[in-house]
Every structure is written in C-alpha cells, then in structure tokens.
Amino acid sequence: MVLVRSSAVLLLLAATAPAVDASPFEGRFRGRGEGRLTLQVSACDRESGQGRCFVHAATAIPNVCTGEVSGPAEQVGTQMLYLRKVVEGAEASCEVTLRRIPDHGRIEMHAEGCNDFRGTSCDFVFNVKRR
C-alpha cells in the first residue's frame, strides 16, 4: 500500500514539474567526409539569457591527421552557434560556425583560421547527423 502511494506521489510530482527545454543544439553528432567527424554540444545555458553551449568538434583521417577544437559557443539567433578560439601567442583566431538544419536533424560546421587546431589534411567543414 505504501509503495502504491509513493509511486502515485512521484507520478504527480513528475506531471506537475515544469518542463525543461533542451537546446535543439545539444547532443552528439557524427558524420563522414574526408575522415571521421564528431561533434558534441552540451551544457547549453538558456536560463541566463546568454545562449551559450559547450562545443567539442573532432576530425580524423586514420594514419594521416587529427584535429579538435572546443570551447564555449554563443548562440546567434535560433539556428546558429558561434565559437571563437584565440590562438595563444598569436594574433590569429579560429572561428567556428555551427548551423542547424532542422528538417534533417543535421548540423553544418564551417571553420576559418583553425590551422593550429588540426592537421593540414583534416578540415572542420562538415555536415553531421545526430546519433
């Protein structure tokens, strides 16, 4: 009897708790291009009004090169994240743009100035799908 009451209370609490909207960017994505491509978007902060997410992107061509870039990205509008990574000791910066393609559950990634974060054969321009 106590178990039934406890379950009923838990169901009532779950039903009345405010829903937490997950960011449409959050998740793990994977794709193929010149090599294996992975993207993870997490820890999106929508409550503070800042619209920031943590982004980790990696690319690899086996036995040729690897590359990765990560850091906080700012949300620009509803369909884009922007990450700017300054290369320590240099004036250059790596600028990464992630665009959602909502109809297909995909994200397009473009990067400029990110040579210090990847091998010359690896690139951060890809299209990945949520896995």
Side-chain angles (χ1 to χ4, degrees), residues 21 29-31 39 48 50 53 57 77-78 98 108 120:
D21 290 337
F29 301 82
R30 185 179 289 171
L39 172 68
S48 71
Q50 297 297 318
C53 297
T78 59
L98 302 172
E108 284 180 345
T120 56

Side-chain angles (χ1 to χ4, degrees), residues 1-13:
M1 183 72 162
V2 173
L3 182 59
V4 173
R5 264 193 219 142
S6 297
S7 298
V9 169
L10 288 175
L11 285 173
L12 181 61
L13 288 173

Side-chain angles (χ1 to χ4, degrees), residues 15-17 24 29 32 38 41-42 56 60 62 69 71 76 79 83 85-86 92 107 111 113 118 122-123 128-129:
T16 58
F29 301 82
R32 288 208 168 273
T38 60
V41 180
S42 60
H56 178 83
V69 63
V76 180
Q79 305 299 319
L83 165 66
K85 229 19 207 194
V86 177
I107 290 183
R118 60 178 177 79
C122 287
D123 202 357
V128 290
K129 186 171 185 169

Side-chain angles (χ1 to χ4, degrees), residues 20-57:
V20 176
D21 290 337
S23 168
F25 288 101
E26 281 188 291
R28 292 176 184 226
F29 301 82
R30 185 179 289 171
R32 288 208 168 273
E34 293 292 316
R36 288 176 289 194
L37 313 163
T38 60
L39 172 68
Q40 182 170 352
V41 180
S42 60
C44 293
D45 178 15
R46 294 172 23 130
E47 288 189 24
S48 71
Q50 297 297 318
R52 290 187 181 160
C53 297
F54 186 81
V55 171
H56 178 83

Side-chain angles (χ1 to χ4, degrees), residues 72-124:
E74 299 215 16
Q75 189 166 341
V76 180
T78 59
Q79 305 299 319
M80 190 170 85
L81 288 175
Y82 175 76
L83 165 66
R84 183 171 183 262
K85 229 19 207 194
V86 177
V87 179
E88 197 170 314
E91 293 181 28
S93 65
C94 171
E95 296 182 6
V96 176
T97 304
L98 302 172
R99 285 191 196 279
R100 281 187 59 238
I101 306 171
D103 295 348
H104 303 288
R106 293 184 178 271
I107 290 183
E108 284 180 345
M109 179 175 171
H110 294 279
E112 294 201 19
C114 298
N115 294 343
D116 291 340
F117 296 93
R118 60 178 177 79
T120 56
S121 297
C122 287
D123 202 357
F124 286 126

